[in-house]
Amino acid sequence: IDEGDTYTLTLANLVDPGTDTVTGYDIDWGDSSPITTVTGLGDVNHVYGDDGTFTITVTATDEDGSYSFTKALTVDPEVPPEIVRIGDAPARQLRSEPTAWEDAWTDSEIAISHKADVTDATEEWSDINFSNRSSHTLPGGDILTGDLGVSGQSLASGFRQEIDGQEGLQFELVDPATRVTVDLARLHANDNGSLNEAGRLQAFDALGELVDEVTFSADLAGDQQQATLEVESGFHSIILTSGAYDGETFVFGAYVDDNGNFATGPTAPGNQVEGSDFMIDAIEFEFGPVATATTAQSNAAPLQIQLLATNDETTLINETPQQLLEAEIEVVGITDGDDDGVFI
C-alpha cells in the first residue's frame, strides 16, 4: 500500500483441532502503534503513517495458550498528486504577447472544445478559439478579457462568449484525474431581478459515461465562485453547462432562488431571452492514484465461469458482468459444446 492509505487485514479460516475457543486476537501492526485487540474474525483496518517494511503479528489466544502468525507488508512513500492548472490569463492581450491567452489555456494533457447544443448528438465538439472576436455562431471567439466561454450565444447574453442556454464547454484529459476545481467568473446574483445564475459540472469516464456531477449557483458574495468535483475512481473529461434542475429535469439556462432551488427557466423581459450564463477564469485538475475495484481475496474460492455457445452467440451462465469485472479471470478453454474434446 501507499503511505497514508488504509490497510485492511482479513482474519479468516481459523482452524483449531481441539474443542478450545479463541478468546481474542491481538494485532501488532509492526509500526510501534498500539496493539489492536478484536474478539472475532473479519476485517480490521489500520493506517500506516510512514513508509517502510513492516511485519504484522497476529496472536490468537485460547485455553491452551497463545499462537502467533505473521505477515510482511511494504508501505511505499506517499506520492503527491500532480496538479495542473490552466487559465488565469491576463485581462488584456498585448501586441507584444499575441499568444498570451492561448498560452495560459494550453496544456499538452488537456484538450478544450465547445458545442452550441449539448443535446444534439449529431453536432460534433469543435475546438475553441482563443480570441475575443464577437461571433454569433461556432466557431468564434471564446475569450473575453482572459476568461473562457462558448461563443455560440444561444441566449441573449450581455457577452457573446459566456456559456449560456444549451452550450457546453468540455475539457478532455489524456490521463484520468481524480479532482477538478473550476474558478467561475461572471456568475451573477440578483440577475434579471432577484434571480441567481446557476450551472452544472459533470465528470465522464473514458467511455463517455457520466460518473458524477455537481451544481453551483451565484450568491451575494460576488460573481467569483468555485465548483469542485472529486471522483476517486477517476474521470477523463468534464463538461460545463448553465442552468438548474427542476426536480430531475435539467433546464438549460434556468435561474435559482437564494436557497439554490429552481426558480424559473430562461425569461423574456423584452424582445430578448435571458438566462443563466457564466465564464471560466481558471481550472485545476488533480492527477492522483485512481481507486480500482477490489479484487477477490486470496482465500476466496475460484470464480467458476461457464460459457454456452449457441448460434454464434455466447451466453454467460450464473455470473453477472459486475462479478466478471471485479475478479481476475484465467481463460482455460472454450469448448464447442459437443463433447468431442475439440477446443476453440
Side-chain angles (χ1 to χ4, degrees):
I1 64 169
D2 291 328
E3 176 186 349
D5 287 352
T6 299
Y7 176 72
T8 300
L9 178 71
T10 301
L11 305 179
N13 297 334
L14 174 69
V15 177
D16 191 333
T19 59
D20 306 315
T21 300
V22 174
T23 56
Y25 304 86
D26 292 331
I27 306 172
D28 183 344
W29 299 101
D31 61 352
S32 300
S33 62
I35 291 177
T36 300
T37 300
V38 295
T39 57
L41 301 176
D43 292 342
V44 186
N45 296 326
H46 182 70
V47 176
Y48 283 87
D50 295 311
D51 61 287
T53 301
F54 304 95
T55 299
I56 302 173
T57 302
V58 178
T59 302
T61 302
D62 65 10
E63 292 90 337
D64 294 329
S66 297
Y67 310 88
S68 296
F69 309 86
T70 62
K71 178 179 178 63
L73 176 69
T74 299
V75 180
D76 296 326
E78 181 181 10
V79 178
E82 178 188 4
I83 304 295
V84 176
R85 183 180 178 89
I86 57 176
D88 295 316
R92 298 181 62 188
Q93 187 159 246
L94 305 176
R95 290 182 179 180
S96 59
E97 297 179 282
T99 63
W101 286 346
E102 184 173 0
D103 294 342
W105 285 101
T106 298
D107 187 276
S108 60
E109 301 296 308
I110 305 172
I112 312 175
S113 57
H114 59 190
K115 201 171 182 180
D117 185 352
V118 294
T119 66
D120 184 359
T122 63
E123 181 188 354
E124 299 290 337
W125 289 91
S126 57
D127 294 337
I128 64 169
N129 192 305
F130 296 104
S131 76
N132 64 348
R133 295 175 300 166
S134 295
S135 173
H136 289 277
T137 58
L138 295 174
D142 299 296
I143 288 281
L144 179 69
T145 61
D147 294 334
L148 184 64
V150 177
S151 60
Q153 195 182 30
S154 56
L155 298 181
S157 168
F159 301 103
R160 300 188 190 282
Q161 293 91 341
E162 288 187 307
I163 303 171
D164 59 28
Q166 294 171 304
E167 294 174 346
L169 183 62
Q170 177 178 246
F171 295 80
E172 294 181 282
L173 309 175
V174 174
D175 297 312
T178 55
R179 182 184 177 92
V180 58
T181 300
V182 182
D183 290 348
L184 306 160
R186 297 176 174 81
L187 189 71
H188 299 296
N190 291 339
D191 184 65
N192 192 22
S194 60
L195 302 173
N196 299 325
E197 294 183 328
R200 177 178 65 177
L201 167 62
Q202 295 179 300
F204 300 84
D205 62 16
L207 299 178
E209 297 293 332
L210 178 67
V211 293
D212 204 355
E213 67 177 42
V214 65
T215 58
F216 51 86
S217 61
D219 60 30
L220 299 179
D223 63 354
Q224 302 289 328
Q225 302 286 331
Q226 272 193 342
T228 298
L229 189 58
E230 187 168 3
V231 182
E232 291 186 357
S233 59
F235 56 88
H236 284 261
S237 66
I238 66 160
I239 295 177
L240 286 149
T241 48
S242 69
Y245 278 99
D246 182 8
E248 296 183 356
T249 302
F250 188 79
V251 181
F252 291 94
Y255 290 106
V256 298
D257 59 22
D258 290 340
N259 296 318
N261 299 319
F262 176 84
T264 180
T267 63
N271 295 326
Q272 296 180 334
V273 178
E274 298 182 359
S276 289
D277 47 36
F278 59 91
M279 300 188 76
I280 310 300
D281 183 61
I283 187 167
E284 183 175 282
F285 292 98
E286 181 175 304
F287 298 87
V290 175
T292 57
T294 304
T295 57
Q297 297 177 7
S298 59
N299 61 353
L303 180 63
Q304 301 296 317
I305 302 170
Q306 181 180 4
L307 296 175
L308 175 65
T310 57
N311 298 328
D312 296 327
E313 294 183 0
T314 301
T315 303
L316 183 65
I317 301 176
N318 296 329
E319 301 295 347
T320 67
Q322 186 64 30
Q323 287 174 302
L324 295 180
L325 289 173
E326 293 178 350
E328 294 182 3
I329 302 169
E330 179 183 2
V331 177
V332 295
I334 303 175
T335 179
D336 58 5
D338 58 7
D339 297 325
D340 61 2
V342 177
F343 287 86
I344 303 173

